């Protein structure tokens, strides 16, 4: 059992049927030695009484912003918190947090704690609310700001549906909380450059050559490195993702742009992680006007782009790490090992993009980490989990 002695968890409980599970969360955290300070919304008290959580936590339960005889409530809670855990997190509280609304004790505490301690939310709501564009946009906004998530799961909902929206089990929520309370800061002081997304090689003002990369893997790596204490620069091709909070993003378009942005910044970095998918070739000629079809076949002449990984491998200084990616469709391990040697990389992250769940555009990945003296296959997992596994391996490679 993890030891949370000396840690303070501020538990926010909102008005949903899953609020009754807060009792077990308080109990589990308390058994691990954590001090649990509970903040309830008025609606939450309709599902579980404050006295229940007060008895389990051994601490006063706070509900009303103006019913405090001690230091200003939300500020005191924010100063004390090592983690703000909101379980259940309704669509309402997520919307407030995303919009910066602070109109009760929990929402003001969330705003006050955002720059002091991590925030973990365990969403619980109807599947229609979960999937609504407004809620998904709020989740994206909060994720960009560094909010962490556990769940929701699929299961039987209060409305009778069998669908996504059920709050995760208390043991899963507590496990996620422990991960944040005891999280690694093994990259603190390190300068990490991450590349992400595709490049575009323009044919004419309206057409270009590109690929299916969404940039999500690189963005997850950038956020994971940030959360582990690194100073992160993210060089990104054109993607539909917002820049993560606390990460410097440099936007590029073509492979030549990427080459210049990365090669010029690499000497200052402790590690370069090349998760981008640059084009190997570009059109030899660019048409200033839109190319019109005339009924005949068209021959497109291409010329090679510079090899960014090879250049980084040549200029790599002692102690600096170069992590390359290899998206393959065949002979994955053999091709990845060749890339490791040819590019003078320290590790290659290889995946077979023809495998379901391991290619472009998805939320999961399945990779093999290959170094000069190791090969570590990873199971199918979320791209954030994959990012942390890559950083786990990389962190142990620093001299």
């Amino acid at each position: 059992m993890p030891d949370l002695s000396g840690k303070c968890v501020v538990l926010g409980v909102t008005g949903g049927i899953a609020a009754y599970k807060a009792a077990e969360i308080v109990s589990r955290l308390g058994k691990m030695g954590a001090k649990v300070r509970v903040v309830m919304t008025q609606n939450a008290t309709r599902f579980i009484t404050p006295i229940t959580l007060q008895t389990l936590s051994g601490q006063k339960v706070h509900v009303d912003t103006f019913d405090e005889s001690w230091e200003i409530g939300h500020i005191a809670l924010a100063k004390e918190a090592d983690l703000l855990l909101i379980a259940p997190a309704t669509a309402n509280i997520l919307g407030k947090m995303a919009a910066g609304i602070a109109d009760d004790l929990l929402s003001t505490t969330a705003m006050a704690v955002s720059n002091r301690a991590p925030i973990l939310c365990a969403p619980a709501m109807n599947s229609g609310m979960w999937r609504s564009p407004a809620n998904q946009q709020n989740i994206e906004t909060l994720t960009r700001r560094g909010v962490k998530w556990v769940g929701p799961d699929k299961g039987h909902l209060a409305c009778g549906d069998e669908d996504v929206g059920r709050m995760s089990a208390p043991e899963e929520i507590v496990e996620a909380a422990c991960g944040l309370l005891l999280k690694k800061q093994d990259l603190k002081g390190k300068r990490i450059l991450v590349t992400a997304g595709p490049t575009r090689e323009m044919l004419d003002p309206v057409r270009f050559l590109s690929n299916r990369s969404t940039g999500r893997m690189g963005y997850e790596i950038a956020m994971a490195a940030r959360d582990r204490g690194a100073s992160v620069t993210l060089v990104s091709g054109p993607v539909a993702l917002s820049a993560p909070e606390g990460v410097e993003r440099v936007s590029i378009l073509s492979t030549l742009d990427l080459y210049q942005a990365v090669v010029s910044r690499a000497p200052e970095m402790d590690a370069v992680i090349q998760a981008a998918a640059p084009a190997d070739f570009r059109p030899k000629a660019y048409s200033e006007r839109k190319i019109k079809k005339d009924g005949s076949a068209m021959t497109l002449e291409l010329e090679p782009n510079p090899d960014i990984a090879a250049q980084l491998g040549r200029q790599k200084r002692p102690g600096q790490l170069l992590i390359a990616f290899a998206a393959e469709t065949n002979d994955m391990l053999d091709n990845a090992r060749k890339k490791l040697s040819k590019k003078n990389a320290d590790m290659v992250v290889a995946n077979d993009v023809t495998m379901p769940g391991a290619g472009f555009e998805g939320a999961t990945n399945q990779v093999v980490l290959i170094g000069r003296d190791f090969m570590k296959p990873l199971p199918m997992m979320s791209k954030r989990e994959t990012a942390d596994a890559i950083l786990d391996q990389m962190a142990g490679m620093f001299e």
Side-chain angles (χ1 to χ4, degrees):
M1 180 182 295
D3 182 8
L4 300 182
S5 299
K7 301 292 187 182
C8 177
V9 178
V10 175
L11 174 63
V13 184
T14 62
I17 188 63
Y20 77 92
K21 296 182 182 179
E24 185 176 349
I25 294 172
V26 171
S27 178
R28 285 177 176 269
L29 289 169
K31 289 176 181 177
M32 294 176 182
K35 180 181 181 181
V36 184
R37 305 295 298 267
V38 179
V39 179
M40 302 180 71
T41 64
Q42 289 288 350
N43 286 341
T45 64
R46 295 174 176 265
F47 293 91
I48 185 171
T49 63
I51 193 64
T52 300
L53 300 180
Q54 183 166 309
T55 302
L56 289 169
S57 67
Q59 302 288 331
K60 179 181 178 180
V61 171
H62 308 283
V63 179
D64 189 346
T65 305
F66 302 103
D67 185 26
E68 304 293 348
S69 58
W70 49 302
E71 185 181 353
I72 298 174
H74 63 286
I75 301 299
L77 288 165
K79 288 180 179 179
E80 195 172 4
D82 294 299
L83 171 70
L84 172 60
L85 167 61
I86 304 179
T90 58
N92 184 58
I93 190 63
L94 298 181
K96 285 184 179 182
M97 291 167 63
I101 295 173
D103 62 354
D104 62 10
L105 185 56
L106 179 55
S107 57
T108 52
T109 300
M111 182 173 288
V113 83
S114 59
N115 291 321
R116 296 174 177 267
I119 299 175
L120 174 65
C121 292
M125 64 194 74
N126 170 269
S127 54
M129 296 176 71
W130 170 253
R131 294 191 179 100
S132 72
N135 186 61
Q136 289 300 310
Q137 185 175 359
N138 290 336
I139 290 167
E140 180 183 339
T141 297
L142 293 172
T143 300
R144 190 169 68 250
R145 293 178 187 164
V147 171
K148 304 299 184 297
W149 308 93
V150 53
D153 298 335
K154 285 187 177 181
H156 185 75
L157 305 179
C159 62
D161 293 345
E162 291 284 340
D163 206 341
V164 68
R166 182 174 182 169
M167 190 173 85
S168 296
E171 59 267 27
E172 294 176 7
I173 294 171
V174 171
E175 181 181 358
C178 289
L180 290 172
L181 287 165
L182 304 173
K183 71 178 182 178
K184 301 173 182 176
Q185 286 290 286
D186 51 357
L187 297 179
K188 193 172 184 63
K190 298 294 185 184
R191 296 160 298 177
I192 310 293
L193 188 149
V194 181
T195 69
T199 58
R200 292 179 180 176
E201 309 302 324
M202 302 304 297
L203 292 166
D204 63 22
V206 298
R207 300 183 181 91
F208 54 83
L209 301 178
S210 191
N211 56 60
R212 294 169 53 197
S213 172
T214 63
R216 186 164 296 278
M217 189 70 251
Y219 274 63
E220 293 291 355
I221 292 171
M223 289 188 286
R226 171 202 64 189
D227 292 344
R228 293 167 76 150
S231 173
V232 182
T233 299
L234 175 63
V235 181
S236 175
V239 297
L241 302 172
S242 300
E245 294 278 335
V247 170
E248 177 193 10
R249 186 172 73 169
V250 179
S251 296
I252 57 91
L253 184 65
S254 69
T255 300
L256 288 176
D257 295 337
L258 180 64
Y259 179 88
Q260 293 164 1
V262 172
V263 170
S264 65
R265 289 171 172 80
E268 303 173 359
M269 301 295 163
D270 295 295
V272 178
I273 304 175
Q274 286 199 284
D280 293 329
F281 298 91
R282 66 180 183 274
K284 192 169 185 179
Y286 171 77
S287 173
E288 296 289 345
R289 295 184 177 183
K290 179 182 175 181
I291 301 170
K292 296 291 187 179
K293 61 182 179 181
D294 59 8
S296 60
M298 176 183 175
T299 300
L300 183 62
E301 190 173 0
L302 304 176
E303 60 184 355
N305 270 318
D307 191 324
I308 302 172
Q311 177 60 34
L312 292 176
R314 285 190 292 269
Q315 71 180 45
K316 186 174 60 170
R317 69 173 191 274
Q320 186 182 53
L321 297 179
L322 173 60
I323 312 301
F325 273 63
E328 303 291 344
T329 59
N330 58 279
D331 302 322
M332 179 186 74
L333 295 179
D334 185 49
N335 287 333
R337 290 191 182 98
K338 290 178 180 176
K339 187 167 191 174
L340 182 76
S341 176
K342 289 181 178 179
K343 313 300 184 186
N344 190 29
D346 298 281
M347 181 167 69
V348 170
V349 181
N351 68 332
D352 182 346
V353 295
T354 66
M355 182 184 299
F360 297 114
E361 301 163 357
T364 60
N365 209 346
Q366 185 169 9
V367 305
V368 179
L369 308 182
I370 300 172
R372 296 186 182 91
D373 57 358
F374 65 85
M375 183 180 77
K376 185 176 181 180
L378 299 179
M380 184 82 68
M381 58 179 78
S382 72
K383 287 186 174 177
R384 175 53 190 253
E385 292 171 326
T386 303
D388 272 312
I390 292 168
L391 295 180
D392 285 344
Q393 188 70 35
M394 187 189 78
M397 297 168 67
F398 281 111
E399 296 179 353

